[in-house]
Each structure stands twice: as structure tokens, then as C-alpha cells.
Amino acid sequence: MASAAKTIVATGVSSGLGFEALKQLLAAPQPYRVVLGARNTSGMDESLRDTAFESTNKVEVLPLDLADLKGTRTFAEAALQKIGDAKIDYLFLNAAVTDPAVANPRGYRWCESAVVNHVAQFYLVHLLREKLEASKARIVFVSSGAATSVPDPSLVENALSSGSGATGLSLYSMTKFVQLLGAHWWRRELTGVCDVVAVSPGLVPGTGLGRGGGISLPTGSPDAKTVPQGAQSMLAALTRSDFPEDPDRIFLTSWGEWWDKSVFEKTLDKQLQDKWSFSKEDIEKEAGILAQG
């Protein structure tokens, strides 16, 4: 008897590691219904036409530019309409950019890298929350070991501000730091209802991560992984059930272990988690959504 299809809502799966993860997902014995967001929907449709996958899988592509918070809300509404009465089994949050912190063209107080890598995807959880809770969904934040390399959290707010001029790996690390703060906040908020997991694909030189941010990943590192290996690490977060007893240990490493919380201790500061875990209303006020009614 065939397994029932599981529904996954995903960001950041239209290229690179994300697209490789999508291909591996669609090649798995378990059938999936994937509702994904993409900036270039026609390009994504073309990529899917060139990808062979079982007829038991269904992929639906919706427009999504995470730099636009209003557009993020439109995507959430469209995704919920597509899904209807079905469950959301997984929310897979993978999108990330490394653009320098120039003035935000939409007037938000955060730079675009902060919006895409953290604020918009955190907002997406707010927008889907009712359905996620009813579905007892698993929420996966694709993180990075870079989240642990922020030396001074007090510098993050200024660096992630619109027009700060921050660039490169330090900016990326800070966006991943606040993303992990948000993952911890959602874990606290949804305890006993939804599983929340952060996962690292590992050091994967063969991706387009450095585009726009001047980041160069060392190809000769002994810890370097291929794109298929990185994608496999990401997908492990969907199925692992051996959660540590300590609820703060939500970070699954690329080598398959749950990181000791001493590694990401700075992200366990609840005041920092609360600071960077914006309410739905605050985000909508920033985006001018509340003003429109």
C-alpha cells in the first residue's frame, strides 16, 4: 500500500543546495506534495520540467520574493489556499542571500539580507502558525555554523540595519545568528505542538552562496562537502526523531550529531531571542501592511 503524500511548504529550493534537496526529496520513496516559493516562477517551472520525479509527487510553484514582506504575506495566503483542508507536515526555510547592507529600497529598517534570511521567513511562520499548529508540523530552519561565529551580539543590530555598509561573511554570520535566535524562540513558543529544528548543510564550496557578498568558501577544506552531501544533511532534519532531552539542543550538524548547546550558547539568551523575534503586528507595521487595513 502506497504511503500518503506529505505536504511541505518550502523557501529557497529553486537553485543550488535547495534545488538539489528538492530533487532528492522527489526521488525518495515517500511521496510529497511540495508548495514552494520562487522569485522566478517560470524559470523554476522550466527546471522542474527537466527534472524527472515520480508521478506520485506534486510540485506547485508560487511567486515569492522574501525581500518584500507584503509579497511574503501574499505567498502565505496563496499557499494556504492551495493546501486547503490538508495538513502541512513540514515548513522548510532555506532561503538565504549575502547581499551587502546597502539602503533598503523598500524603506525597511533592516537591510535586505536581514529581511530575506530572517525577518520574512520568521514572518512566514507567523502567517502559517494556525495551520502549522493544527498540523503538528515540523519547522526546519536551514542554519549554518557561521551562526556561532558572531563575537559580539551587541554589534548585530547596527550591522543589520539598512545602509550600514556591512558586507561579506560577518554580515552573513549575523543574519544566521538572528535566524537561530528566532528558531529558539519558536521552539519555546510551540513546545509540545510543533517540532522546531535548525540544521547545517556543512561547508559546501560548490554553491552560489557568495554571490553579491564577496564570500569565498575554501574548496580545499577537509570538512568540505559536495552539493548532494549538503542537501542530504538538510533533508535529515525532516526525519530525525532522536531529539536530545535538553530542549535547547535543536541544532543538527552536517555530520549527523546534535550540537552541544555550549557551541551556540550566545543564541540561548532569551532576551536576545525576544528582541529579534518580532511580532506579526510589528513586522506588518514596518511593511506598511497594518496601515492599509
Side-chain angles (χ1 to χ4, degrees):
M1 182 176 178
S3 300
K6 292 185 178 293
T7 299
I8 178 169
V9 176
T11 69
V13 295
S14 59
S15 64
L17 267 175
F19 188 64
E20 174 62 27
L22 177 64
K23 289 193 293 182
Q24 290 187 19
L25 193 76
L26 297 176
Q30 167 66 51
Y32 285 94
R33 178 188 184 187
V34 184
V35 179
L36 65 89
R39 281 181 296 181
N40 182 357
T41 54
S42 59
M44 186 64 196
D45 286 335
E46 184 175 345
S47 296
L48 287 169
R49 282 195 293 271
D50 295 335
T51 302
F53 55 88
E54 294 295 329
S55 59
T56 50
N57 292 306
K58 183 178 183 181
V59 182
E60 297 164 280
V61 182
L62 298 174
L64 173 62
D65 179 359
L66 288 163
D68 178 8
L69 294 170
K70 294 178 183 177
T72 300
R73 186 176 75 161
T74 300
F75 166 79
E77 292 169 347
L80 289 171
Q81 186 173 18
K82 285 277 187 186
I83 293 165
D85 293 333
K87 293 170 54 180
I88 296 177
D89 295 284
Y90 306 104
L91 175 60
F92 188 72
L93 302 170
N94 177 57
V97 297
T98 57
D99 299 332
V102 298
N104 192 306
R106 292 179 174 83
Y108 305 152
R109 67 179 184 269
W110 312 287
C111 68
E112 280 202 358
S113 284
V115 173
V116 173
N117 299 2
H118 172 54
V119 180
Q121 294 181 98
F122 190 88
Y123 179 41
L124 188 56
V125 183
H126 276 304
L127 293 166
L128 300 177
R129 179 173 182 168
E130 184 176 352
K131 172 68 84 171
L132 294 170
E133 289 184 330
S135 304
K136 298 188 182 301
R138 177 172 298 193
I139 304 168
V140 175
F141 291 85
V142 178
S143 185
S144 166
T148 68
S149 63
V150 174
D152 187 353
S154 70
L155 302 178
V156 172
E157 184 171 8
N158 181 66
L160 298 190
S161 297
S162 171
S164 76
T167 60
L169 185 57
S170 64
L171 176 62
Y172 178 73
S173 297
M174 290 180 184
T175 65
K176 286 300 183 179
F177 179 78
V178 296
Q179 180 207 37
L180 189 52
L181 289 172
H184 283 297
W185 188 89
W186 278 119
R187 196 277 304 163
R188 289 163 46 204
E189 189 76 4
L190 298 174
T191 295
V193 182
C194 297
D195 291 331
V196 178
V197 181
V199 63
S200 172
L203 177 65
V204 187
T207 70
L209 177 64
R211 63 184 181 272
I215 296 175
S216 177
L217 299 178
T219 55
S221 169
D223 298 323
K225 295 183 179 296
T226 64
V227 170
Q229 288 172 329
Q232 189 175 18
S233 296
M234 291 157 59
L235 292 179
L238 299 180
T239 55
R240 289 285 290 269
S241 58
D242 58 330
F243 299 113
E245 291 185 8
D246 186 337
D248 285 331
R249 292 182 63 195
I250 65 170
F251 201 119
L252 183 62
T253 67
S254 61
W255 54 93
E257 298 177 3
W258 296 97
W259 242 346
D260 188 277
K261 66 181 184 182
S262 62
V263 181
F264 49 85
E265 186 175 6
K266 290 174 185 174
T267 66
L268 300 178
D269 184 323
K270 289 185 171 58
Q271 288 186 325
L272 272 180
Q273 292 172 10
D274 292 343
K275 176 178 179 176
W276 285 97
S277 298
F278 310 112
S279 71
K280 178 174 176 286
E281 292 72 24
D282 283 346
I283 295 172
E284 293 183 343
K285 182 177 180 181
E286 179 70 24
I289 294 172
L290 283 182
Q292 296 177 358

